[in-house]
Amino acid sequence: YLPISPYGAAKVAAERYVAMFDRAATLEALGADDPARAIPASFAATTVILSNVYGPRQRAGYGAVNIFARALLAAEPVTLYGDGRNVRDFVYVADAVRALMWAGDCLTTDGRPDLQRPKRVLVGTGVATTDEALLSLVAHEVHAQTDVATLDRAVRAPARPCDIRRMVFPATGMATTTLADGVRATVEAIRTEIGL
């Protein structure tokens, strides 16, 4: 992990702390008289790395889908970073919550530890979407819901690095909402929120 920002460094540090406590608690439990009963009481952890989460009720100014939709609904310029070919993976908020609920269920039904549970999982759809394609999709949905076409308002600026081609998503089965369906629900929720 080579973070490029203080935010990224803080996330790596938090993940390392969790892994350290998990190891220490598991080793302590294994030394107990009955390890099978001691481990469930230990600090069992699964770190969930979420792709770009989006959906209704996201704060203004955060997340590409949210930012694009709010700007287009207000007929304001959209800033599209770089040449529009940055590749990202977008996960709908309901799918992200489902993944977190799955990770939080660290025990099997008989109360013993789930030793097959991964310690770290990346959650995404596995579908690569360029920033330009995302902007087109959001603009199409805004137009479909408001009959206002505003895609020509995109402005190019320097790119920020973000590319899912360097990542793998072993938990792709959890993210089942298509980007089109998620964008539709998000635009509809924002329209309702701002009274359009």
Side-chain angles (χ1 to χ4, degrees), residues 23 62 87 127 147 163 170 180 188 192:
R23 274 193 313 277
Y62 292 89
V87 179
V127 176
D147 202 31
D163 193 334
E188 185 176 346
T192 301

Side-chain angles (χ1 to χ4, degrees), residues 23-39 42:
R23 274 193 313 277
T26 301
L27 289 172
E28 181 181 329
L30 289 173
D33 292 336
D34 187 353
R37 295 198 183 279
I39 291 174
S42 73

Side-chain angles (χ1 to χ4, degrees), residues 72-84:
L72 293 171
L73 285 166
E76 295 174 351
V78 174
T79 300
L80 183 64
Y81 292 95
D83 61 5

Side-chain angles (χ1 to χ4, degrees), residues 21-194:
F21 280 114
D22 180 71
R23 274 193 313 277
T26 301
L27 289 172
E28 181 181 329
L30 289 173
D33 292 336
D34 187 353
R37 295 198 183 279
I39 291 174
S42 73
F43 191 88
T46 296
T47 300
V48 177
I49 312 299
L50 297 169
S51 209
N52 295 277
V53 179
Y54 72 97
R57 298 174 65 182
Q58 190 168 13
R59 285 187 299 169
Y62 292 89
V65 173
N66 185 36
I67 291 169
F68 290 170
R70 287 178 184 278
L72 293 171
L73 285 166
E76 295 174 351
V78 174
T79 300
L80 183 64
Y81 292 95
D83 61 5
R85 291 185 292 180
N86 287 338
V87 179
R88 304 169 196 266
D89 187 346
F90 295 90
V91 179
Y92 189 64
V93 65
D95 295 334
V97 169
R98 189 166 36 258
L100 292 170
M101 291 172 65
W102 168 85
D105 182 21
C106 295
L107 301 180
T108 57
T109 54
D110 65 0
R112 292 179 181 253
D114 182 356
L115 300 177
Q116 302 302 312
R117 182 68 49 129
K119 295 296 182 185
R120 184 174 198 266
V121 64
L122 300 168
V123 177
T125 63
V127 176
T129 303
T130 64
D131 291 347
E132 189 169 47
L134 177 69
L135 178 57
S136 294
L137 181 61
V138 174
H140 173 78
E141 192 55 47
V142 166
H143 176 69
Q145 293 191 28
T146 63
D147 202 31
V148 174
T150 50
L151 181 58
D152 59 341
R153 293 178 173 269
V155 176
R156 306 281 193 242
R160 294 178 298 144
C162 182
D163 193 334
I164 66 164
R165 288 172 288 203
R166 295 178 176 267
M167 302 176 76
V168 269
F169 299 93
T172 54
M174 287 182 223
T176 58
T177 305
T178 67
L179 186 56
D181 287 344
V183 165
R184 183 175 304 113
T186 303
V187 169
E188 185 176 346
I190 293 171
R191 281 182 53 238
T192 301
E193 175 192 328
I194 63 178

